[in-house]
């Protein structure tokens, strides 16, 4: 077994929290499509900040157990910094750039997740390819957001919802798989 995963995973529940937040935002984009862009932007800022904090905790908690913990730390710090930047942005500007920010963030997170899961594939477990498939769906949806964010109207919210849900489900499954790995290996 690679030394990257030898010591098990601490804070396995951190991806669970991030995934639940992402699924909630995705569902809300289907329920309230663009009814209040300002409200949705503020909700995204809050979720991004919470997810960033949990990702930083996950990275620091696994620093002595994994060799690639720095990527999770960078991910969390980027999320926290982006949330703070968005929070300081005037609401008028925020609503203008919000869809682009969401699309680029989703692209970044899906690519990051694919790389993370590719690293997990060294454990030779079958569920990783399923998670990568979910992230590819999220990535395609995020690219479609950028294709025509204003011209496609309501379709943008559908793509946002699909991206968030695909990303969120992949994080939820990952957290339970990390927990099962720990139990199986007595950690």
């Amino acid at each position: 077994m690679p030394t990257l995963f030898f010591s098990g995973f601490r804070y396995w529940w951190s991806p669970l929290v991030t995934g639940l937040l992402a699924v909630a935002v995705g569902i809300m984009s289907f329920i309230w499509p663009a009814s209040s862009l300002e409200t949705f932007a503020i909700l995204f800022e809050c979720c991004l900040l919470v997810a960033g904090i949990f990702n930083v905790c996950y990275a620091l908690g696994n620093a002595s157990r994994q060799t690639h913990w720095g990527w999770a730390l960078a991910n969390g710090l980027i999320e926290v910094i982006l949330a703070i930047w968005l929070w300081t942005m005037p609401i008028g500007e925020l609503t203008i750039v919000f869809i682009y920010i969401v699309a680029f963030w989703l692209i970044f997170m899906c690519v990051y997740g694919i790389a993370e899961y590719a690293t997990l594939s060294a454990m030779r477990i079958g569920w990783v390819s399923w998670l990568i498939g979910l992230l590819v769906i999220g990535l395609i949806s995020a690219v479609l957001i950028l294709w025509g964010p204003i011209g496609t109207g309501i379709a943008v919210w559908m793509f946002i919802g699909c991206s968030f849900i695909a990303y969120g489900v992949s994080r939820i499954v990952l957290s339970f798989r990390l927990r099962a790995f720990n139990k199986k290996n007595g950690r």
Side-chain angles (χ1 to χ4, degrees):
M1 179 174 302
T3 58
L4 171 65
F5 303 107
F6 184 74
S7 298
F9 298 93
R10 293 181 65 194
Y11 305 112
W12 61 267
W13 48 266
S14 180
L16 175 66
V17 172
T18 305
L20 290 173
L21 286 170
V23 168
V25 170
I27 291 171
M28 290 188 333
S29 73
F30 285 121
I31 295 173
W32 300 297
S35 62
S36 175
L37 188 59
E38 293 173 1
T39 304
F40 199 69
I42 292 169
L43 174 68
F44 176 73
E45 291 170 354
C46 295
C47 289
L48 192 62
L49 181 64
V50 170
I53 291 169
F54 276 100
N55 284 329
V56 167
C57 291
Y58 176 79
L60 295 176
N62 286 298
S64 63
R65 297 170 178 255
Q66 297 176 6
T67 57
H68 294 89
W69 66 274
W71 289 108
L73 178 64
N75 172 34
L77 291 174
I78 288 170
E79 288 175 328
V80 168
I81 291 167
L82 182 59
I84 292 169
W85 175 66
L86 291 173
W87 199 262
T88 62
M89 189 178 288
I91 199 72
E93 290 178 28
L94 178 62
T95 56
I96 292 170
V97 299
F98 173 68
I99 293 173
Y100 293 103
I101 291 170
V102 168
F104 283 115
W105 179 80
L106 284 167
I107 290 169
F108 171 77
M109 291 311 300
C110 288
V111 170
Y112 168 78
I114 290 168
E116 180 180 45
Y117 298 157
T119 302
L120 285 174
S121 70
M123 296 171 66
R124 291 180 178 46
I125 37 185
W127 53 266
V128 174
S129 58
W130 185 76
L131 293 177
I132 290 174
L134 275 174
L135 290 176
V136 168
I137 292 168
L139 183 61
I140 291 168
S141 295
V143 169
L144 290 173
I145 294 167
L146 290 175
W147 193 292
I150 307 302
T152 55
I154 200 74
V156 167
W157 296 103
M158 182 184 69
F159 296 137
I160 287 174
C162 288
S163 293
F164 271 104
I165 290 171
Y167 172 72
V169 169
S170 75
R171 299 307 286 179
I172 291 167
V173 171
L174 172 67
S175 69
F176 285 115
R177 295 300 183 164
L178 294 178
R179 181 175 180 232
F181 177 83
N182 284 348
K183 282 185 175 186
K184 179 181 174 185
N185 293 302
R187 291 176 176 81

